Amino acid sequence: MEGPRSPNEAELPHVLEFLNQKLRNEAPWSIAAEYPTAFNRNNLHNMRIIADEGKVLSHAVLKPLIIKSPHVIFKVGAIGSVVTHDEHRGQGLSTQIVKDCLKMATEQSCDIAILWTDLFDFYRRMGFELAGNEVSFVIEEEFEANNEGLRFSTDPRVSPDAIYRLYSSHSINSVRTIEETKKFLSIPQTKVYTAWESNGQLAAYAIEGKGIDLGGYLHEWGGSVSKLMALFSFIRMQKGQPVTVICPRHATNLIQQLEKLPVTKNHGFLGMIKLVNFDQLSAKIKRAFRAEGVADIVLEKHPTQYVFGIGTDLYTINKETDMVRLLFGPVDYRAMDMFKPETLDKLEKILPLPLWIWGWDSI
């Protein structure tokens, strides 16, 4: 048995065959079509396998992302497609391979690692914790919105440049290229909804579905709030059934408009997050606070605990997973009565960190 290691180029077809059998057995497409930026030769060095006599036994992939936000530029290591052959489960192979992905994430200067799973206890043993914020709205009924003279379309043949232009206007997004946007638009089971100005300019877009995942979920969208609401109205009418819009918590204007509709609102987590380069992340956070005029921010890691606060108003945190939830949410500082009111006012200039990862970037 050898590994964890990256597969060589000649092994890539065999790795994809293993993943298709284990994770996409009933899909008529390859998993590489669903995750075109993760499963390609340019990311081969971030794929990890454990093999025995040429047979793949276990796999995971790391996809580094650069996430821009108003205060901090994060480097995030997204981990996905973690799977072990049925006959070799219970031997610790998945644990080995995930830990190797974390080692790579550390070596590649990622601040944090993130993954999406329902195996919470398994990943908690490796230091991951549910954190971050996600708000979803199930639009239960059709509704009217001012269409502002827009033309709506379900034609998937949309210029990647036009999508990229609106995507780039988000205050928090991952760094993408137009070529990557083109690949994302080609993912199987992707439905593209668009709204167009009378002059032919793209005004808003929304993306539903991603391979076998996210059917019925609008997981990527862009445009002004009024144009998006008009587009959501069109989508709900077109589908003739409820549709769910996934939002970051910082999309306050859109959230306020959606809350006026007959919707079911749900609060969730962004994913399972683990700190991998705390000192690097801490330095970024401290710079962000200083830029806001808060020079006495304390965010330190000691051998057995973390110390966090402003000036002499400090709080001691014993578990790394608690630190994750304090930095990225959903911990409510005020409800926990952790700090003085004036300290809370300063902390809330930056925290919780507004991290968001759009649907196309999940792996």
Side-chain angles (χ1 to χ4, degrees):
M1 193 176 296
E2 54 177 321
R5 63 172 176 83
S6 59
N8 60 51
E9 194 165 332
E11 291 176 306
L12 181 57
H14 302 292
V15 174
L16 293 177
E17 181 182 6
F18 169 76
L19 294 175
N20 289 333
Q21 289 175 350
K22 299 302 175 184
L23 301 176
R24 295 298 182 271
N25 191 36
E26 297 182 4
W29 57 79
S30 170
I31 195 170
E34 282 189 47
Y35 304 105
T37 59
F39 294 114
N40 61 60
R41 285 170 173 78
N42 292 332
N43 199 50
L44 201 62
H45 62 290
N46 284 322
M47 296 174 65
R48 280 296 182 266
I49 60 169
I50 295 174
D52 187 28
E53 297 182 352
K55 181 180 178 182
V56 179
L57 306 183
S58 189
H59 172 275
V61 64
L62 172 75
K63 178 59 181 173
L65 303 169
I66 304 297
I67 309 293
K68 296 189 299 181
S69 76
H71 301 293
V72 177
I73 296 177
F74 303 97
K75 188 169 185 183
V76 177
I79 297 173
S81 297
V82 181
V83 62
T84 294
H85 194 287
D86 301 5
E87 297 175 2
H88 295 271
R89 289 179 179 169
Q91 300 175 21
L93 301 188
S94 288
T95 299
Q96 288 183 51
I97 217 157
V98 171
K99 287 183 175 179
D100 201 55
C101 285
L102 290 171
K103 178 174 177 285
M104 287 195 301
T106 303
E107 292 170 350
Q108 294 179 39
S109 299
C110 292
D111 301 302
I112 61 172
I114 189 168
L115 50 79
W116 297 270
T117 181
D118 56 3
L119 302 176
F120 305 134
D121 291 341
F122 173 75
Y123 286 101
R124 282 184 174 123
R125 291 198 291 271
M126 287 181 272
F128 286 88
E129 185 52 76
L130 287 165
N133 292 281
E134 174 186 289
V135 186
S136 64
F137 293 88
V138 183
I139 303 177
E140 305 283 3
E141 301 174 13
E142 294 183 14
F143 67 98
E144 293 186 3
N146 183 3
N147 65 26
E148 303 182 7
L150 298 170
R151 176 180 63 84
F152 301 104
S153 175
T154 58
D155 190 339
R157 296 170 298 178
V158 182
S159 166
D161 303 61
I163 297 287
Y164 178 81
R165 176 180 58 82
L166 288 182
Y167 170 79
S168 299
S169 68
H170 285 301
S171 62
I172 301 173
N173 60 31
S174 66
V175 176
R176 292 178 184 167
T177 65
I178 294 174
E179 182 59 30
E180 287 173 333
T181 304
K182 181 180 179 180
K183 291 178 180 178
F184 290 142
L185 285 166
S186 299
I187 293 174
Q189 300 288 88
T190 294
K191 295 181 180 179
V192 183
Y193 302 95
T194 50
W196 301 85
E197 305 279 11
S198 57
N199 63 3
Q201 182 170 308
L202 182 65
Y205 72 91
I207 307 296
E208 177 193 349
K210 181 184 179 185
I212 66 169
D213 298 322
L214 298 171
Y217 289 86
L218 302 177
H219 60 86
E220 294 251 352
W221 40 259
S224 69
V225 171
S226 62
K227 306 285 174 60
L228 281 168
M229 291 301 292
L231 181 58
F232 294 160
S233 172
F234 166 78
I235 295 170
R236 178 60 183 83
M237 181 183 66
Q238 280 284 115
K239 291 183 68 67
Q241 61 186 34
V243 63
T244 302
V245 181
I246 301 175
C247 296
R249 195 180 76 162
H250 61 266
T252 52
N253 292 336
L254 180 62
I255 288 172
Q256 288 172 4
Q257 293 303 310
L258 287 168
E259 286 176 335
K260 296 176 182 179
L261 303 179
V263 297
T264 300
K265 182 181 179 182
N266 299 297
H267 292 273
F269 302 98
L270 178 61
M272 294 200 80
I273 298 175
K274 177 179 172 59
L275 301 174
V276 295
N277 270 307
F278 176 80
D279 290 343
Q280 175 179 287
L281 178 62
S282 174
K284 292 180 179 181
I285 294 170
K286 288 177 180 178
R287 284 196 297 270
F289 272 103
R290 287 195 293 270
E292 291 292 321
V294 182
D296 52 349
I297 176 73
V298 177
L299 183 57
E300 299 173 353
K301 181 179 181 180
H302 297 273
T304 60
Q305 61 191 17
Y306 296 84
V307 180
F308 172 51
I310 303 288
T312 58
D313 190 9
L314 302 175
Y315 187 80
T316 300
I317 300 155
N318 295 319
K319 295 171 62 179
E320 179 184 292
T321 51
D322 290 338
M323 190 76 250
V324 168
R325 291 165 68 90
L326 284 167
L327 292 176
F328 295 98
V331 170
D332 184 339
Y333 300 95
R334 293 186 184 274
M336 292 184 66
D337 195 28
M338 296 167 59
F339 297 107
K340 299 174 182 176
E342 56 268 29
T343 299
L344 290 169
D345 291 340
K346 292 179 180 179
L347 289 174
E348 288 174 351
K349 290 176 180 288
I350 301 296
L351 301 177
L353 294 165
L355 178 66
W356 184 249
I357 296 175
W358 294 93
W360 273 338
D361 290 316
S362 63
I363 63 170

